[in-house]
Amino acid sequence: MTHTYRIDTGRQTLVLAARNTRLPQVVYWGAPLPADEDLAMLHAAHAIDITGGMLDENPDLSLCPEASRSFPGQPGLILRDAGGAPVLAMFSLVDAVQTATDLRLTYRDADNGLDLICTFLSDPETHIITCQTALNAEYPVYLDWLAAPVLPAPQHSETMIDISGRWCGEFQLAHTPWSAGIRLRESRTGRSGHEHFPGLIVPCHGATNTQGEAYAFHYGWSGGHRMIAEELADGRRQIQWGHAAGSDTQAATHFSTAPLYINYSDSGLNGCAVAFQRHLRDRIVTWPKPDTPRPVHYNCWEAVYFDHKLPVLKDIATRAAALGAERFVLDDGWFGRRDDDTTSLSDWIVDARKYPQGLQPLIAHIHGLGMTFGLWFEPEMINEDSDTYRTHPGWVLGRADQTRGRQQLVLNMALPAVREYLYGRIAAILTDHPIDYIKWDHNRVLPMPDAAQTRGTYALLDRLRVDFPAVEIESCASGGGRIDFGILQRTQRVWLSDSNDALERLRIQHDAALFLPMAVTGSHVGPRICHTSGRTLDMSLRAWVAAQRHMGFEMDPRELTDHEAAVLSKVTGWWKQNRHWLHSADILRLDSADPAVIAEQQLARDKARFVVFAGKAATSTQIVPRPLRLTGLDGQARYRVTLVNRDEAPGLSRGAPLLKSGSLVASGTYLMQHGVTLPWSFPDRIWVLQGESL
Ligand code: DGJ
C-alpha cells in the first residue's frame, strides 16, 4: 500500500509518498502538477533500479533517512540512550492530518519509545513551505543530530550556492560543484554567524538571477546550524538542515528543529529571493506600527564611539535631523563606566559621569527635533570589570579560563536568574524613558554551541516584546553575525554589516537580497574616509547605496561639506518620497552583461513602477556600458524610464545617450530583451533609473 500527500503553494507542488507505514520520501518537487495527477503512480515511477553490489531493496531517501534501514548516507537522526549507547530508530506511521495548507505526519518507534513528527505549512501567497521535525521520547535521550524534513536536491543541477562571509564581508556566495560525498556547512559559534548564513540555493542547469529553475532553503535558527548537501553513490542528492550537531547538550524527552523554509522557483534565483523577501517581511517580522513608514536612522557609533558628550550629541542630532534623520540611535558607551570596550557590559545603568541628569535631556532634545530615540544594548554579554560580574561570577557561560572575545564573556541565558536580571534592567530603562527602538548587539561568539542559550535569548526577547510591544529591535552581531528568520521573528531590522564602505555594501546587500527585503536591511552613510576599509568614496555613491535599503546615517555630520550635505539631503528626500512603495517592493537582481556592474531592480507589487540601481563596482573592460536588461515587467506595457541622477554624468561622458537629456519611453519587452543603454561613468559610481508604466 502507498500513502501519498501533496502540498501546493500555487507555484510549486511537493509530493510525498511512502511504502506501507514507512516514512515518506519526496517523489516530486517542482512546477505545479495537475490536480488529478496520480500520486501513487508517481511513487511507483520514482523507484530506482537495483544492480550489482546493492542491497535487495533500495533504502528510501525519506524525510528522516533511517540508519536502521541501511541508508547509505547521513541519517536524519542520531541518538543515544541515557547510558550513551546508540539508538537505531525505525519509524512507522501513526497519524496523518492534512488541511488545505497544513500537513502533520506522526510516526512511532514503539521498541525505543520514540515519536517523530514532521510538519509542513504551505503559504499560497509567499510560496514558502515551512517544515519542521520534532522528536518525543518516553525516556531522556541524548540527541546528536536531528534534521528538519530531509529534501532531495535536483539532479539537473551542476552546482550549489551556499553563503560564506566574514566581519565586514557578509553574504559571500560560494558556488560548489556537486560531486559524490558531503558538503557540510556548520556554524559552531553559537550564532548563525558571519561565516555561515543558513541559506542554500540549488540552481538548475542554466539558471541565472532572472531565469531558469532553482530550489532554495533557509534554516531559521540563531544558535548555529549544520547543513549537509550529500550526493550518494547511487546519484541521489539529499539536503539536511538542523541545529549545530551536539548543541542540545542535555538528555531530554523532547527535541525540535527550527523551521526550515523552502521554495522552488521557475523564474531564476529571483523567484526564490522574492519568496523569501515577502515571507520574511509579511509573515515572519511583526511590525509594531505597520502603517508608519520606516524612519531614516541616525546612529552615532562611528561619529563618537565611546566619547559621549551631551553638547556634542545634541549638536550632531540637530544636524542629523536637518539632513532628514527621523530616529536617533544612541550606540555603545552610555552605561556603567564604559569608556572603552574593556568594561561595564551587563551594568545597564546610565553613566552619571556622562549623563548627570540621565538620558532625559538628550531624549528631550531629540524629540524636540521631531526624531524618536533608540538605545544600544548587548544583553547577553558581561565584562569581568563590571559590578554584575563581581556579584555574580557564576552567571558566565563556559569555563573560567576560556579565551575572551573583545575582552568579554557571555552570560548563561539558560539560567532563569540571568534572564530575570536582564529583563529587570532593560524593562526599567524602557519604562523610565520614551524609547521606541533597541539596537541589540552580540559581539562575540559563544565558548561552544549551545541551543539552550539561544532558547534563553529568544525567551527574553519574547517577554520584552510582550511588555513593550511598541519598541522595535534591531539584530546586530558585529554587523551581520546574527541574521536569520529565527531572530527576525523577534526583531524588525538587521545591521547587515559593520562595513559602511559603499562599494562593499553594494555587493553585500546585493547578495543578501537573495533572502532579505529592503524593509529589514539597515544601510547607513558612513564617514567620508571609511573606518573599516580606509577608502574614500563620493557622497553620491554612499547616499544612493544606503537608499537601496532601510536608510540611515552614521558619519559625524560636522564633517560634511556643503556639497555632501546637499547631495545627502536630496537622496534622503528621494527615499522618503518613495519609501511607501519601496517597502513592499521586490528586489530583483539583474543579470548584468558587464561583470563590473552590480545591478538590481526594485519592482512595485503592482509592477506599475520600479527603480534600478546600477553600481559600477570596478572599471569595465569594454569602453561603453553594455545594455542592462530589466526584468519582471509587463512585456506589452509601456514604461517611461528616467535617469534620476543624470546630472552626475562626468565630463568624459561626451556623447548624447537619450537618458542624459530626457526619458526613454519603451515597452517592457524592449527593456527586458534589449535593455537600457546607460551613459558612460567613472567606476565607484551608481546610476539610478526610475520607471513608471504609462
Ligand atoms: C558592533 C556593532 O556592529 C557596531 O555597530 C557598534 O554597535 C558596536 N558593536 C558597539 O560596540
Side-chain angles (χ1 to χ4, degrees):
M1 187 191 170
T2 299
H3 291 277
T4 60
Y5 316 94
R6 66 179 284 169
I7 297 157
D8 288 280
T9 69
R11 208 184 67 184
Q12 70 198 310
T13 302
L14 183 76
V15 178
L16 304 173
R19 289 187 253 182
N20 304 318
T21 61
R22 293 188 184 188
L23 288 167
Q25 50 183 335
V26 174
V27 297
Y28 177 84
W29 183 17
L33 292 176
D36 60 355
E37 189 82 53
D38 181 342
L39 304 184
M41 183 76 82
L42 297 194
H43 181 226
H46 183 264
I48 54 172
D49 205 355
I50 294 166
T51 178
M54 293 173 81
L55 292 171
D56 297 339
E57 181 185 284
N58 206 33
D60 290 343
L61 202 176
S62 74
L63 295 180
C64 184
E66 293 155 294
S68 57
R69 294 190 194 272
S70 306
F71 183 70
Q74 166 84 15
L77 173 66
I78 304 177
L79 207 59
R80 285 173 291 124
D81 66 18
V87 177
L88 289 185
M90 191 182 274
F91 291 102
S92 19
L93 180 68
V94 173
D95 196 21
V97 182
Q98 187 154 25
T99 67
T101 53
D102 297 17
L103 173 64
R104 181 185 169 88
L105 300 169
T106 305
Y107 297 85
R108 182 151 182 81
D109 173 347
D111 292 347
N112 290 302
L114 300 171
D115 286 319
L116 189 81
I117 301 122
C118 295
T119 51
F120 294 81
L121 179 59
S122 63
D123 192 312
E125 277 178 44
T126 65
H127 305 295
I128 290 286
I129 298 173
T130 306
C131 47
Q132 201 160 359
T133 300
L135 180 79
N136 293 329
E138 286 172 6
Y139 305 99
V141 287
Y142 288 100
L143 183 74
D144 291 332
W145 174 244
L146 177 64
V150 176
L151 295 144
Q155 297 279 311
H156 41 288
S157 161
E158 279 131 11
T159 56
M160 61 188 110
I161 306 172
D162 52 35
I163 293 108
S164 304
R166 59 167 167 82
W167 177 70
C168 285
E170 290 83 348
F171 283 90
Q172 299 179 28
L173 305 188
H175 298 250
T176 308
W178 283 100
S179 64
I182 281 180
R183 172 150 173 93
L184 185 148
R185 299 292 312 263
E186 187 159 40
S187 170
R188 297 200 60 78
T189 59
R191 305 188 295 199
S192 29
H194 299 85
E195 307 82 2
H196 308 278
F197 173 79
L200 171 72
I201 296 185
V202 184
C204 298
H205 293 312
T208 69
N209 287 316
T210 59
Q211 53 196 342
E213 291 178 292
Y215 294 78
F217 306 77
H218 169 68
Y219 190 66
W221 176 245
S222 316
H225 52 273
R226 173 182 275 194
M227 178 204 87
I228 288 169
E230 180 174 22
E231 183 168 297
L232 304 175
D234 60 35
R236 288 179 296 174
R237 294 165 172 176
Q238 64 160 336
I239 306 292
Q240 296 196 7
W241 288 93
H243 290 10
S247 57
D248 275 297
T249 57
Q250 307 293 316
T253 55
H254 175 74
F255 299 94
S256 175
T257 68
L260 174 65
Y261 303 91
I262 60 171
N263 76 87
Y264 157 82
S265 156
D266 64 359
S267 52
L269 273 56
N270 283 340
C272 301
V274 166
F276 284 131
Q277 290 168 20
R278 291 185 184 182
H279 197 77
L280 180 54
R281 183 191 55 229
D282 302 339
R283 299 287 190 273
I284 301 287
V285 174
T286 46
W287 303 98
K289 294 179 191 154
D291 299 328
T292 308
R294 310 305 299 139
V296 176
H297 276 206
Y298 177 80
N299 181 297
C300 67
W301 176 241
E302 295 200 349
V304 300
Y305 293 103
F306 299 102
D307 188 14
H308 290 206
K309 292 192 177 72
L310 187 58
V312 172
L313 288 168
K314 282 183 172 175
D315 182 22
I316 286 176
T318 304
R319 292 166 188 260
L323 290 164
E326 298 163 310
R327 175 183 274 154
F328 184 100
V329 181
L330 186 66
D331 211 283
D332 195 354
W334 58 268
F335 56 91
R337 298 175 68 82
R338 181 95 167 151
D339 296 333
D340 57 33
D341 61 12
T342 63
T343 176
S344 299
L345 287 173
S346 74
D347 287 349
W348 302 112
I349 294 174
V350 179
D351 185 345
R353 299 169 309 155
K354 297 177 185 172
Y355 299 96
Q357 296 166 282
L359 294 176
Q360 202 53 49
L362 177 62
I363 298 177
H365 178 78
I366 285 163
H367 283 176
L369 295 164
M371 290 193 282
T372 63
F373 180 74
L375 194 60
W376 182 95
F377 287 92
E378 195 178 2
E380 296 137 281
M381 299 294 157
I382 185 163
N383 284 118
E384 284 152 288
D385 181 10
S386 69
D387 292 341
T388 312
Y389 181 84
R390 283 182 277 275
T391 319
H392 301 288
W395 281 1
V396 167
L397 182 72
R399 298 166 59 114
D401 60 355
Q402 67 182 273
T403 306
R404 272 62 179 154
R406 208 192 190 199
Q407 289 89 232
Q408 65 201 49
L409 293 161
V410 185
L411 285 166
N412 184 348
M413 299 296 291
L415 298 178
V418 168
R419 294 201 299 272
E420 194 58 38
Y421 165 77
L422 290 172
Y423 176 84
R425 289 307 325 141
I426 298 170
I429 301 268
L430 295 180
T431 305
D432 293 348
H433 304 88
I435 292 174
D436 83 333
Y437 191 79
I438 290 176
K439 177 176 175 183
W440 187 295
D441 213 338
H442 188 289
N443 284 308
R444 63 153 287 177
V445 300
L446 302 193
M448 67 284 184
D450 181 0
Q453 177 76 6
T454 306
R455 286 192 285 269
T457 298
Y458 283 176
L460 176 61
L461 278 160
D462 292 345
R463 184 174 172 196
L464 285 164
R465 294 206 56 226
V466 167
D467 292 348
F468 300 93
V471 175
E472 282 188 17
I473 304 177
E474 171 175 27
S475 173
C476 173
S478 304
R482 186 157 64 182
I483 299 177
D484 56 81
F485 287 16
I487 203 74
L488 278 158
Q489 224 166 335
R490 299 158 172 95
T491 56
Q492 290 80 17
R493 192 186 203 239
V494 294
W495 184 228
L496 184 61
S497 178
D498 270 352
S499 172
N500 284 326
D501 176 308
L503 269 186
E504 294 179 348
R505 204 54 180 238
L506 178 74
R507 201 280 308 153
I508 297 170
Q509 55 199 33
H510 185 71
D511 290 331
L514 287 171
F515 299 90
L516 305 180
M518 168 274 200
V520 306
T521 311
S523 193
H524 294 174
V525 178
R528 184 182 305 121
I529 302 176
C530 174
H531 290 186
T532 56
S533 71
R535 195 156 25 202
T536 303
L537 292 164
D538 186 77
M539 176 52 88
S540 175
L541 179 77
R542 287 154 60 203
W544 281 117
V545 167
Q548 285 182 275
R549 299 293 184 268
H550 181 189
M551 188 175 193
F553 319 143
E554 194 162 333
M555 89 305 280
D556 185 337
R558 295 173 299 177
E559 79 168 23
L560 297 177
T561 63
D562 290 348
H563 173 70
E564 287 171 333
V567 172
L568 183 53
S569 298
K570 194 166 119 188
V571 175
T572 306
W574 177 91
W575 193 79
K576 285 181 176 176
Q577 266 168 17
N578 288 280
R579 62 183 160 187
H580 64 282
W581 69 269
L582 290 173
H583 180 267
S584 59
D586 297 323
I587 306 175
L588 305 170
R589 292 153 42 100
L590 295 178
D591 292 323
S592 170
D594 180 348
V597 174
I598 297 177
E600 73 178 30
Q601 176 184 330
Q602 299 191 15
L603 179 64
R605 287 294 277 270
D606 61 4
K607 297 183 184 234
R609 52 175 129 187
F610 61 84
V611 58
V612 171
F613 297 95
K616 198 163 171 186
T619 306
S620 300
T621 48
Q622 81 288 354
I623 295 176
V624 291
R626 300 187 193 279
L628 182 62
R629 284 174 143 192
L630 307 191
T631 190
L633 303 176
D634 176 352
Q636 295 308 307
R638 293 170 72 73
Y639 294 85
R640 178 183 292 116
V641 181
T642 308
L643 195 54
V644 176
N645 56 342
R646 67 185 184 209
D647 56 339
E648 290 179 25
L652 269 175
S653 160
R654 297 186 298 127
L658 175 59
L659 287 170
K660 277 173 74 177
S661 55
S663 297
L664 158 70
V665 176
S667 66
T669 299
Y670 174 85
L671 297 170
M672 293 189 289
Q673 286 299 313
H674 180 274
V676 178
T677 304
L678 289 159
W680 187 88
S681 77
F682 288 133
D684 306 350
R685 299 297 164 103
I686 190 164
W687 285 127
V688 183
L689 277 174
Q690 228 170 329
E692 55 179 352
S693 72
L694 298 174

